[in-house]
Amino acid sequence: KAVVSTQSTGEEEEDIAVVQAFTCNAHATKFFSQFGCKKGDIMSRKQIRSHITNYIRSQNLVDPADKSKIILDPLLSDLTKTREVRGQWNTVMQRAEAACGRCYVIALPGRIPITVKGELPPIRFKVEKRTGNKNVTLISNFSIFGIEAKELAQKLQLLQSSSATVVAGVKGEEVLVQGDARKHATKLLLQEYKIPKTFVSSS
């Protein structure tokens, strides 16, 4: 289940940017607290790797016999959840990331970035048969990207040349469009709203 919060970076983005990040959970905090990280803090992949690299070098944990390997002391062994004595640099980094929680940071133009803890659901299109055997398209999961339902419905109504209304969904507002609107909706989301293609999914 995704948990949404906001945080300010003091910067503005021209387009929507979606970046995968990590949360400092209870397990990871035991290691990253030495760098001032608290439970619930958000870390980028770069920050995680920088902290671990600094720790390895400060503790002289690079294997002198093979500099491609790291000697795993109790703290690193606990973080990476392994009993191995040595590990490859990249393997240690990957295991450290896996030990943290996952989240996504969505940077919206001129707005405070949104943090989604957990998996980020893509915008979905669902074509259904309704009364009179006519197709309708139900669009959901767009509000998390800062898109307002009423505005999306109005734009799709013009593009599709058919009615589009805002309806209540299980997880928030959805837009119901008469006909198969997947082509127009995809183009609108990708080109005008600048939603990364990875997060636009039709079914």
Side-chain angles (χ1 to χ4, degrees):
K1 183 179 179 180
V3 179
V4 182
S5 61
T6 59
Q7 62 177 25
S8 177
T9 61
E11 299 179 355
E12 291 187 1
E13 299 285 344
E14 293 182 359
D15 295 336
I16 289 177
V18 181
V19 179
Q20 184 180 3
F22 303 85
T23 57
C24 199
N25 55 28
H27 175 75
T29 302
K30 289 185 289 183
F31 178 85
F32 290 107
S33 60
Q34 64 186 299
F35 301 102
C37 299
K38 303 182 297 296
K39 183 180 177 182
D41 282 355
I42 297 167
M43 300 182 292
S44 66
R45 174 173 280 113
K46 183 178 180 180
Q47 287 173 318
I48 288 175
R49 295 192 171 220
S50 176
H51 289 328
I52 293 175
T53 299
N54 290 338
Y55 178 80
I56 290 168
R57 298 198 185 285
S58 69
Q59 300 299 313
N60 297 315
L61 296 177
V62 178
D63 188 344
D66 185 352
K67 295 188 183 300
S68 69
K69 292 183 178 180
I70 299 163
I71 299 169
L72 298 174
D73 69 356
L75 265 180
L76 278 177
S77 294
D78 180 65
L79 173 66
T80 56
K81 301 178 181 180
T82 181
R83 294 182 179 178
E84 295 175 3
V85 178
R86 291 172 175 77
Q88 297 286 341
W89 277 84
N90 199 48
T91 300
V92 172
M93 297 298 184
Q94 290 174 346
R95 286 177 176 172
E97 291 172 5
C100 299
R102 297 296 180 103
C103 71
Y104 290 86
V105 178
I106 306 172
L108 306 171
R111 295 174 60 179
I112 295 174
I114 297 170
T115 300
V116 182
K117 294 182 179 180
E119 293 302 316
L120 181 61
I123 298 174
R124 295 194 180 278
F125 314 135
K126 187 177 182 181
V127 179
E128 299 177 344
K129 295 285 186 182
R130 293 289 174 94
T131 307
N133 204 34
K134 294 182 179 180
N135 286 332
V136 296
T137 305
L138 195 62
I139 306 172
S140 60
N141 296 338
F142 51 81
S143 60
I144 202 166
F145 294 93
I147 300 173
E148 295 182 1
K150 185 178 180 181
E151 178 186 271
L152 181 61
Q154 290 173 341
K155 290 184 176 183
L156 284 172
Q157 186 166 305
L158 292 173
L159 286 172
Q160 189 74 8
S161 298
S162 62
S163 66
T165 56
V166 178
V167 297
V170 177
K171 297 182 180 179
E173 291 184 323
E174 299 179 348
V175 170
L176 183 68
V177 187
Q178 296 297 319
D180 187 341
R182 287 177 294 182
K183 183 177 179 180
H184 284 135
T186 299
K187 184 177 180 180
L188 179 66
L189 292 167
L190 295 179
Q191 296 183 8
E192 184 168 337
Y193 285 106
K194 307 296 184 183
I195 304 296
K197 191 173 182 180
T198 305
F199 299 101
V200 178
S201 175
S202 61
S203 60

